[in-house]
């Protein structure tokens, strides 16, 4: 035969597209959780491909905490507009009222804005299926996560009650009130993501690229002072450092790395010789190896 | 073997980085993907072997390594050394139990390939997980502890590997250090395994003596075993030929997942090419209807393609306005069978047993239909005699016959793993209760155990005559008429809705016949609806014969 065999990236792309089409065909109200990070960017790009020439037949949902980097909010609107998709933004009104923030409330911040916020949004709009950009290579407990992950009506994840996934046959049937989280990027690695962004020229938040930015160092983590809500400790003065982010979340919770890599190839080059794994930058993961799993059982995405 | 990462980082600045990354990606583009499965009994060293592969492929990052060293010291089960098995353990609850109880997927890459490992547990009761991991694997590594040799579980694993159609089998004889790297031990195990392989139907395998803990013959040939002339495990994984090229010989088939209709002018059929290749202009059949048409365009976001091959996710447009919807198959002429019944092997995966007269959802390709299952035999995978049904329990493997509520396009598993596999779904709990592999298509009439109790008769006069004949034999029969159905069960149907009427009549007949009653159905048979039982007074095409008195 003349055609060359598919590359591993083409195979991953086809698998993700297959998954998205199954969800759209078999669920009533799907939504794509859009967190504005690089994985979300790839997931959105794949959705555009899966349903071309139609726009993806579902909205984007951003569960906002009000504490994302400003550059993320900028890209959010643009990405949705260019994809021709509706963008829904949900902020937990209770967290907003109580002024929950990452500086004063620690884990409660994630819990109320993200965990509770996500549940509220799904209930509010009646979504029965939500795409998420999590990958199995991110963290040990994710290695066993299914591509279709079932949640009870109260959004709990029961590790003992998940369905076996054979071939590319996904069982999307569920009882009323139950919902599914679907992870079309399950089999992608971080390098696959970067390689794909580079090959397909997908727009990402500029914070992934190094630039001089105001920073302070706390407990060995470099934090960016993104706006004047950042409470400086006595004697603390923001210092301009050339930094970039390997992962993006709430700015006070996301550690930067010092880097001169200002272009995508340089990032990839740095990544290929990297010696620390991706999630080290997330302050949230520092409380124990099994914590992610506990969060998942509670409904944190 | 070392990651290409190590060759990077010489240049500095954006241009140098771009040149390096471009070169690196050009090399990556040639990379293929190998999915493999590891299977062995508890403590054979699966986790250690997988951890070792990740380590030797330089996949571990600094913080992972330091976490690993800390955990190794804490767990204290490798005597101060790094315990590689800790790398691949997952859920906290499982970790407390000290065993892996599910399928976990791991990723690593070398210069030649990207690998996805399905790590499945060895405990005997977890057939279900192994079948899951095996369903997508191209290759299986079967671990054998050199001190224990071939065990009953080895047979179980090998049987499943063969059942799920994995063509490449590696037998890794592990813990060679504990048998003094003795060649005689290895040779004896290989000979034993060959006997087993013959018995379960595995024609070929590659045997490699390894010591996962020390890394012998894992990433590099071991000096401790100079008598072994074959490749190290990783070498073999990097070079074993993949049959992606099989796309060239197999006929084109694609299940339609979704009909793309953004506006009146565009109607595309989205799906993943399951086998073969397709070009614009090709003549294809839409199954099960059998209508033929031509491929007009192969649409992708990156522009139209002249050709698509197995594995690609595409959107096809057709030259004619033929009826085609989700679940239908677009295929080259003769590439699939249209059938209302299947013969299959079934792996039962639920605590609740298979109920012979209960209907399940069967999903294959992109279609979901109602199915009832008759168990012919429960296979003893340890080589003993098959047992009779009628039930299947968790982890049982059965030979079954399946009656579907309508005719579908299907393919045998041996022909195509993507389309020949199916899952069964419990209609009440929605759980996935079984995985099946289509073996063949029974001819109509041999449909199921109810055949001799269900008769489809053309016209009520014939029905009465047949009932009188049965009565004379002392056999009670019940006549199901269209009028009776329309009065009650089908009062919601319009007169044109014969397909649904036929389907309901078939279900009623099936349910009643299961209680031992003989059913004479004087109900029209709509085209395309699969019915149980035999036909009386119809010709082969299902048309009623003119002469009312053929009986
Ligand atoms: N001596 C020796 N011990 C090994 C080897 N491979 C694994 N082990 C040990 O065997 C035990 C079980 O290994 P593990 O990988 O947890 O087995 P699993 O249950 O199959 O995943 C552990 O104590 C390992 O350190 C080997 O090649 N040589």
């Amino acid at each position: 035969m003349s055609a060359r065999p598919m590359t591993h990236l083409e195979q991953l792309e086809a698998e993700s597209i297959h998954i998205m089409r199954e969800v759209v065909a078999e669920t009533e109200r799907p939504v794509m959780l859009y967190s504005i990070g690089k994985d979300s960017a790839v997931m959105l790009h794949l959705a555009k491909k899966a349903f071309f020439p139609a726009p993806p037949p579902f909205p984007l949902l951003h569960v906002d905490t009000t504490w994302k980097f400003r550059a993320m909010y900028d890209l959010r609107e643009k990405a949705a507009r260019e994809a021709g998709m509706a963008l829904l933004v949900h902020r937990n009104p209770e967290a907003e009222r109580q002024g929950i923030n990452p500086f004063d409330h620690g884990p409660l911040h994630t819990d109320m804005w993200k965990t509770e916020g996500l549940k509220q949004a799904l209930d509010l709009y009646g979504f029965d299926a939500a795409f998420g950009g999590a990958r199995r290579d991110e963290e040990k407990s994710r290695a066993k996560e299914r591509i279709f992950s079932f949640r009870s009506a109260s959004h709990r994840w029961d590790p003992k009650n998940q369905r076996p996934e054979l071939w590319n046959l996904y069982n999307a049937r569920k009882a009323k009130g139950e919902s599914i989280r679907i992870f079309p990027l399950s089999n992608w690695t971080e390098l696959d993501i970067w390689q794909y962004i580079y090959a397909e020229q997908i727009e990402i938040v500029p914070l992934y690229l190094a630039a001089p930015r105001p920073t302070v160092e706390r407990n060995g983590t470099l934090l960016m002072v993104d706006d004047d809500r950042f409470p400086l400790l006595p004697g603390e003065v923001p210092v301009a450092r050339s930094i970039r982010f390997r992962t993006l979340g709430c700015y006070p919770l996301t550690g930067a790395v010092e880097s001169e890599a200002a272009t995508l190839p340089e990032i990839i080059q740095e990544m290929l010789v990297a010696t620390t794994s991706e999630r080290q930058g997330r302050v949230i993961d520092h409380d124990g190896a099994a914590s992610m799993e506990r969060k998942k059982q509670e409904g944190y995405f | 073997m070392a990651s290409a990462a190590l060759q990077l980082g010489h240049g500095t600045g954006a241009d140098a980085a771009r040149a390096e990354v471009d070169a690196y990606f050009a090399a990556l583009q040639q990379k293929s993907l190998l999915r493999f499965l590891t299977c062995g009994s508890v403590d054979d060293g699966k986790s250690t072997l997988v951890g070792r592969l990740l380590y030797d492929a330089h996949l571990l990052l600094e913080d992972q390594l330091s976490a690993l060293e800390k955990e190794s010291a804490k767990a204290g089960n490798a005597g101060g050394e790094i315990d590689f098995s800790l790398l691949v353990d997952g859920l906290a609850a499982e970790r407390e139990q000290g065993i892996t109880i599910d399928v976990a997927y791991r990723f690593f890459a070398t210069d030649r390939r990207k690998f996805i490992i399905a790590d499945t547990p060895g405990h005997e009761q977890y057939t279900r997980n192994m079948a899951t991991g095996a369903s997508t694997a191209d290759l299986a590594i079967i671990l054998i502890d050199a001190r224990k040799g071939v065990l009953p579980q080895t047979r179980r694993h090998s049987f499943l590997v063969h059942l799920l159609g994995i063509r490449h089998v590696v037998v890794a004889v592990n813990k060679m250090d504990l048998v003094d790297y003795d060649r005689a031990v290895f040779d004896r195990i290989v000979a034993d395994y060959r006997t087993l392989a013959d018995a379960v139907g595995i024609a070929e395998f590659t045997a490699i003596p390894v010591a996962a803990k020390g890394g012998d013959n894992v990433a590099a040939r071991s000096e401790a075993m100079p008598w072994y002339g074959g490749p190290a495990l990783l070498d073999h994984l990097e070079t074993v030929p993949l049959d992606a090229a099989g796309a060239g010989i197999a006929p084109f088939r694609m299940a339609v997942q979704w009909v793309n209709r953004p506006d009146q002018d565009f109607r595309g059929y989205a799906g993943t090419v399951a086998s073969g290749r397709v070009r614009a202009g090709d003549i294809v059949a839409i199954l099960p209807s059998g209508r033929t048409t031509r491929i007009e365009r192969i649409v992708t976001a990156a522009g139209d393609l002249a050709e698509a091959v197995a594995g690609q996710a595409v959107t096809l447009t057709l030259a004619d306005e033929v009826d085609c919807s989700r679940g239908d198959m677009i295929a080259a002429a003769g590439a699939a069978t249209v059938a209302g019944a299947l013969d299959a092997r079934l792996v039962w995966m639920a605590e609740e047993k298979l109920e012979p007269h209960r209907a399940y959802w069967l999903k294959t390709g992109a279609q979901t239909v109602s199915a009832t299952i008759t168990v012919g035999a429960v296979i003893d995978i340890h080589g003993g005699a098959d047992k009779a049904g009628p039930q299947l329990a968790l982890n049982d493997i059965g030979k079954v016959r399946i009656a579907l509520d309508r005719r579908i396009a299907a393919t045998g598993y041996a022909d195509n793993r993507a389309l020949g596999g199916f899952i069964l779904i419990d209609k009440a709990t929605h759980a996935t209760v079984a995985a099946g592999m289509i073996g063949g298509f029974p001819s109509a009439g041999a449909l199921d155990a109810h055949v001799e109790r269900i008769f489809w008769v053309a016209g009520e006069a014939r029905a009465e005559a047949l009932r009188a004949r049965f009565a004379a034999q002392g056999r009670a029969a019940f006549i199901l008429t269209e009028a009776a159905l329309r009065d009650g069960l089908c009062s919601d149907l319009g007169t044109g809705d014969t397909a649904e009427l036929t389907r309901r009549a078939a279900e009623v007949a099936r349910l009643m016949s299961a209680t031992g009653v003989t059913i004479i159905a004087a109900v029209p048979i709509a085209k395309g609806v699969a019915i149980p039982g035999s036909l009386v007074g119809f010709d082969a095409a299902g048309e009623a014969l003119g002469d009312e008195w053929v009986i």
Side-chain angles (χ1 to χ4, degrees):
Chain A
M1 57 177 276
S2 57
R4 61 175 175 76
M6 289 170 78
T7 65
H8 82 280
L9 217 52
E10 287 168 337
Q11 287 191 51
L12 291 174
E13 179 188 77
E15 178 186 74
S16 302
I17 289 176
H18 179 88
I19 291 163
M20 290 182 181
R21 288 170 171 173
E22 279 301 288
V23 172
V24 163
E26 295 220 345
T27 65
E28 280 163 35
R29 276 179 75 74
V31 66
M32 178 166 282
L33 300 179
Y34 179 67
S35 71
I36 330 172
K38 64 184 194 307
D39 300 309
S40 283
V42 166
M43 186 163 64
L44 174 58
H45 185 80
L46 290 164
K48 290 195 253 181
K49 286 195 157 190
F51 303 100
F52 179 87
F58 41 77
L60 293 172
L61 172 64
H62 181 222
V63 179
D64 193 11
T65 65
T66 73
W67 289 95
K68 300 293 168 190
F69 291 90
R70 281 172 302 163
M72 295 172 74
Y73 292 115
D74 294 344
L75 181 64
R76 181 179 75 181
E77 317 294 327
K78 186 173 174 226
R81 199 170 51 241
E82 285 176 1
M85 298 164 77
L87 171 69
L88 307 171
V89 175
H90 182 81
R91 295 186 203 93
N92 180 351
E94 186 55 25
E96 207 156 24
R97 197 181 58 74
Q98 292 184 30
I100 301 295
N101 68 73
F103 298 106
D104 304 323
H105 301 103
L108 191 64
H109 170 77
T110 303
D111 189 50
M112 287 201 58
W113 283 113
K114 293 182 81 172
T115 313
E116 282 309 311
L118 174 63
K119 291 181 198 173
Q120 284 172 355
L122 296 180
D123 290 344
L124 180 69
Y125 296 102
F127 293 125
D128 64 339
F131 292 106
R135 292 178 280 109
R136 283 170 174 154
D137 84 320
E138 276 176 76
E139 199 255 339
K140 271 203 278 185
S141 85
R142 283 223 202 272
K144 297 176 183 192
E145 179 68 273
R146 304 298 204 287
I147 291 173
F148 282 52
S149 179
F150 289 81
R151 306 298 156 105
S152 68
S154 55
H155 299 285
R156 278 190 79 87
W157 177 74
D158 175 2
K160 293 207 167 55
N161 208 10
Q162 298 295 317
R163 300 169 182 177
E165 291 176 343
L166 294 106
W167 302 288
N168 57 1
L169 293 174
Y170 301 100
N171 168 7
R173 290 182 176 255
K174 57 195 174 335
K176 223 177 163 47
E178 289 175 357
S179 61
I180 322 176
R181 309 283 192 276
I182 302 103
F183 305 109
L185 303 182
S186 287
N187 289 327
W188 295 60
T189 62
E190 190 186 5
L191 179 59
D192 295 329
I193 293 286
W194 281 119
Q195 191 189 343
Y196 193 70
I197 288 172
Y198 184 60
E200 300 275 311
Q201 301 181 3
I202 299 169
E203 183 170 6
I204 49 168
V205 180
L207 294 167
Y208 285 113
L209 307 175
R213 297 183 172 105
T215 59
V216 298
E217 190 177 340
R218 283 191 187 165
N219 306 324
T221 303
L222 273 183
L223 297 177
M224 175 174 164
V225 183
D226 193 48
D227 60 33
D228 52 20
R229 290 181 297 174
F230 195 106
L232 294 170
L233 302 174
E236 215 171 38
V237 182
V239 180
R241 290 183 175 92
S242 180
I243 54 160
R244 65 181 180 87
F245 294 85
R246 306 188 58 206
T247 163
L248 291 176
C250 292
Y251 82 78
L253 293 173
T254 309
V257 290
E258 278 193 275
S259 163
E260 300 293 331
T263 64
L264 209 47
E266 287 173 290
I267 291 178
I268 295 166
Q269 185 195 42
E270 267 193 12
M271 208 218 115
L272 289 169
V273 295
T275 53
T276 45
S277 69
E278 175 172 9
R279 281 180 162 262
Q280 201 192 41
R282 285 203 188 164
V283 181
I284 156 177
D285 277 358
H286 286 187
D287 45 339
S291 72
M292 185 54 81
E293 187 193 337
R294 218 175 304 121
K295 291 204 181 71
K296 203 158 57 180
Q297 287 190 24
E298 287 158 7
Y300 173 73
F301 205 76
Chain B
M1 235 138 302
S3 158
L6 302 180
Q7 284 131 43
L8 284 167
H10 305 310
T12 48
D15 290 342
R18 184 178 295 276
E20 276 187 10
V21 169
D22 279 343
Y24 179 73
F25 281 170
L28 270 193
Q29 283 298 334
Q30 309 309 315
K31 251 187 217 190
S32 49
L33 175 64
L34 179 82
R35 293 175 191 250
F36 70 91
L37 167 80
T38 52
C39 32
S41 305
V42 174
D43 281 346
D44 282 351
K46 270 188 329 294
S47 309
T48 307
L49 183 70
V50 171
R52 188 80 216 191
L53 281 170
L54 301 184
Y55 178 78
D56 287 340
H58 301 281
L59 195 86
L60 296 185
L61 302 168
E62 199 175 78
D63 58 332
Q64 288 176 322
L65 265 182
S66 67
L68 177 65
E69 273 159 21
K70 258 186 261 159
E71 280 188 58
S72 296
K74 205 161 57 186
N77 48 4
E81 302 163 41
I82 292 180
D83 181 351
F84 293 102
S85 72
L86 290 174
L87 277 173
V88 296
D89 268 337
L91 302 178
E94 296 171 13
R95 209 146 59 167
E96 273 149 32
Q97 289 171 30
I99 50 164
T100 320
I101 57 164
D102 209 330
V103 187
Y105 295 90
R106 322 277 168 198
F107 308 86
F108 73 100
T110 66
D111 285 350
R112 287 139 119 180
R113 274 195 177 145
K114 165 166 174 159
F115 299 95
I116 301 182
I117 313 174
D119 187 15
T120 68
H123 201 287
E124 205 167 335
Q125 73 198 59
Y126 296 114
T127 296
R128 138 192 161 130
N129 296 328
M130 213 196 113
T132 304
S135 71
T136 50
D138 310 300
L139 178 148
I141 298 177
I142 294 176
L143 263 111
I144 296 178
D145 186 327
R147 296 167 306 173
K148 297 181 190 156
V150 172
L151 297 175
Q153 289 94 315
T154 315
R155 183 184 176 105
R156 189 173 192 93
H157 299 142
S158 303
F159 180 90
L160 284 165
V161 159
H162 181 64
L163 181 72
L164 272 292
I166 299 179
R167 298 243 300 276
H168 303 285
V169 176
V170 174
V171 175
V173 179
N174 189 31
K175 307 196 186 181
M176 286 300 294
D177 56 318
L178 298 182
V179 295
D180 298 327
Y181 304 105
D182 185 353
R183 175 177 199 162
V185 174
F186 177 72
D187 288 346
R188 195 162 56 239
I189 291 173
V190 172
D192 286 351
Y193 190 80
R194 193 172 304 282
T195 309
L196 188 162
D198 288 345
V200 302
I202 293 174
E204 266 183 291
F205 64 89
T206 302
I208 304 178
V210 299
K213 205 168 156 184
D216 298 79
N217 285 337
V218 177
R221 293 271 299 275
S222 166
E223 284 171 20
M225 291 174 271
W227 47 264
Y228 171 71
L233 178 63
L234 190 56
D235 238 354
H236 181 69
L237 296 176
E238 284 183 308
T239 52
V240 62
L242 288 172
D243 30 41
I249 331 154
F252 167 68
R253 303 178 183 106
M254 183 187 99
V256 175
Q257 280 187 285
W258 188 68
V259 181
N260 193 346
R261 277 210 94 175
D263 52 54
Q264 292 304 316
D265 301 328
F266 187 87
R267 192 183 183 92
Y269 302 94
T272 304
V273 179
S275 69
R277 51 174 62 204
V278 63
R279 294 181 190 83
D282 280 359
I283 305 287
V284 291
I286 312 300
L287 301 172
S289 79
R291 298 280 302 274
T292 58
T293 180
R294 211 163 28 80
I295 301 290
E296 188 186 50
R297 296 169 56 198
I298 304 172
V299 179
T300 76
D304 281 12
L305 304 178
E307 176 181 78
V309 298
Q312 278 179 282
V314 293
T315 300
L316 305 177
T317 66
L318 303 175
D320 307 294
E321 277 200 21
V322 291
D323 226 17
C324 181
S325 48
R326 172 169 166 87
D328 286 352
M329 195 189 289
I330 304 180
T337 307
V338 174
L342 312 169
D343 282 331
R345 301 283 175 106
L346 207 59
V347 179
W348 196 254
M349 301 184 147
E351 296 282 349
E352 209 178 311
K353 290 189 167 77
L354 174 142
E355 289 298 333
H357 294 298
R358 198 156 144 206
Y360 297 88
W361 294 120
L362 180 148
K363 181 170 182 184
T364 180
Q367 60 205 335
T368 304
V369 294
S370 186
T372 45
I373 291 103
T374 309
V375 178
V378 184
I379 297 170
D380 180 357
I381 66 177
H382 294 297
D386 291 350
K387 287 173 291 184
Q391 287 188 317
L392 286 182
L394 178 63
N395 295 316
D396 275 352
I397 296 163
K399 292 181 191 162
V400 300
R401 176 157 290 182
I402 301 178
L404 307 174
D405 72 338
R406 59 196 162 90
R407 291 157 68 76
I408 62 168
T411 308
Y413 191 71
D415 261 0
N416 188 268
R417 284 170 89 193
L419 292 176
F422 62 87
I423 53 172
L424 292 182
I425 300 167
D426 185 298
K427 287 189 174 183
T429 65
H430 309 292
T432 301
V433 292
M437 280 110 330
I438 298 173
F441 305 97
S443 55
L447 267 189
D448 56 25
H450 326 309
V451 253
E452 68 279 31
R453 286 202 293 270
I454 303 175
F455 299 87
W456 292 81
V457 180
E460 290 193 28
R462 277 201 189 91
E464 269 306 329
L466 187 57
R467 178 162 68 179
R469 176 133 23 125
F470 281 143
Q473 295 166 1
R475 179 173 174 183
F478 177 81
I479 298 182
L480 195 62
T481 64
E482 179 179 3
L485 285 169
R486 289 214 180 268
D487 264 345
L489 183 63
C490 299
S491 57
D492 57 325
L493 299 182
T495 44
D497 215 349
T498 42
E500 180 57 16
L501 182 92
T502 308
R503 195 190 68 77
R504 290 186 198 179
E507 286 301 330
V508 170
R510 242 188 224 115
L511 287 171
M512 292 179 71
S513 75
T515 67
V517 180
T518 294
I519 308 297
I520 301 171
V523 179
I525 304 173
K527 282 227 157 26
V529 180
I531 51 157
S534 41
L535 300 179
V536 179
F538 293 91
D539 67 15
E543 296 291 341
L545 295 173
D547 179 5
E548 272 267 9
W549 302 106
V550 281
I551 292 173

